[in-house]
């Protein structure tokens, strides 16, 4: 005499889709059904997941997701016998900007830097905010030769530097920044 509890996606009269938990029980020849709207609960779960893996300011993967993506890149490098590279980027004098012009402008700069970095790389590459004013770019499948991979990583580094040379607009004012960059090439090897 019971309908076990299950999740269902239902379409409401207004066309919106909601997730509900539905259960039922037979009572005197009739069926009593209860529905609990789980939409807010599901949205909260999704937000928690997002915040666990993405930086809310830049919308880039955070350090936790970066480590996962780097492990995947290393594993793919082992399987394919191909090289990849990691670029570490640090904005120069960012602390001074934050202290003299305010955190709002610092946040604006970080968002614009993130946008420019995404514009420099391929979809399969990872751009992450490592923390503070540090970003990481993981490039995959740069060829079989470490020398060739180093040359391609250097090209990407130059492309990023060129993109960062253009002024950033912070509340209508042009702001120039430089960055420090380190690059390492990796080639997965079986242990």
């Amino acid at each position: 005499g019971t309908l076990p509890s299950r999740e269902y996606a239902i379409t409401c009269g207004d066309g919106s889709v909601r997730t509900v938990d539905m259960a039922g029980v037979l009572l005197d020849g009739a069926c009593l059904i209860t529905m609990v709207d789980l939409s807010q609960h599901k949205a909260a779960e999704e937000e928690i997941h997002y915040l666990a893996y993405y930086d809310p300011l830049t919308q880039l993967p955070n350090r936790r997701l970066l480590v996962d993506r780097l492990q995947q890149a290393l594993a793919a490098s082992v399987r394919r016998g191909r090289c990849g590279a990691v670029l570490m980027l640090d904005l120069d004098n960012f602390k001074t900007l934050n202290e003299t012009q305010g955190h709002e402008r610092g946040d604006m700069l970080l968002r614009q830097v993130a946008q420019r970095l995404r514009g420099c790389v391929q979809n399969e590459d990872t751009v992450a905010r490592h923390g503070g004013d540090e970003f990481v770019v993981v490039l995959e499948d740069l060829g079989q030769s470490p020398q060739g991979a180093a040359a391609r990583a250097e090209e990407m580094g130059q492309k990023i530097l060129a993109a960062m040379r253009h002024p950033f607009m912070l509340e209508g004012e042009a702001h120039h920044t430089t960055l420090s960059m380190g690059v390492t090439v990796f080639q997965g090897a079986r242990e």
Side-chain angles (χ1 to χ4, degrees):
T2 63
L3 188 71
S5 177
R6 282 189 52 192
E7 273 187 29
Y8 294 92
I10 61 169
T11 304
C12 300
D14 65 1
S16 65
V17 177
R18 294 193 175 265
T19 303
V20 297
D21 180 60
M22 193 179 320
V25 63
L26 290 175
L27 293 173
D28 297 327
C31 189
L32 174 65
I33 295 182
T34 60
M35 287 192 297
V36 177
D37 187 348
L38 300 176
S39 300
Q40 287 182 334
H41 178 73
K42 292 289 185 182
E45 281 180 352
E46 289 173 13
E47 184 176 2
I48 288 168
H49 181 268
Y50 182 84
L51 292 173
Y53 294 102
Y54 289 89
D55 173 52
L57 179 67
T58 62
Q59 279 34 156
L60 293 176
N62 64 15
R63 187 180 309 195
R64 176 184 282 175
L65 186 52
L66 169 64
V67 168
D68 182 59
R69 297 255 179 101
L70 189 53
Q71 289 171 341
Q72 290 177 21
L74 290 168
S77 176
V78 169
R79 281 193 313 276
R80 298 180 189 137
R82 315 251 318 150
C83 296
V86 177
L87 288 71
M88 295 286 299
L89 314 166
D90 184 55
L91 296 177
D92 298 329
N93 304 313
F94 181 74
K95 184 178 177 184
T96 303
L97 171 71
N98 259 350
E99 290 174 353
T100 60
Q101 297 186 29
H103 291 282
E104 295 82 20
R105 284 194 177 194
D107 289 350
M108 284 180 208
L109 178 62
L110 292 172
R111 283 191 293 270
Q112 290 180 41
V113 166
Q115 185 176 11
R116 287 191 192 179
L117 288 173
R118 276 194 300 261
C120 288
V121 301
Q122 303 294 320
N123 287 338
E124 61 272 7
D125 297 323
T126 298
V127 176
R129 183 172 177 208
H130 190 255
D133 61 344
E134 298 172 346
F135 295 86
V136 177
V137 177
V138 180
L139 305 173
E140 294 189 56
D141 200 10
L142 296 179
Q144 292 180 321
S145 151
Q147 295 80 12
R152 290 185 62 196
E154 182 181 357
E155 287 174 18
M156 178 56 70
Q158 292 299 330
K159 182 177 181 179
I160 289 170
L161 289 173
M164 297 301 155
R165 283 189 192 105
H166 299 285
F168 293 90
M169 295 307 291
L170 306 179
E171 295 180 333
E173 292 182 23
H175 175 79
H176 292 272
T177 191
T178 57
L179 59 88
S180 301
M181 183 184 311
V183 180
T184 188
V185 171
F186 60 86
Q187 183 174 26
R190 298 190 190 277
E191 293 182 22

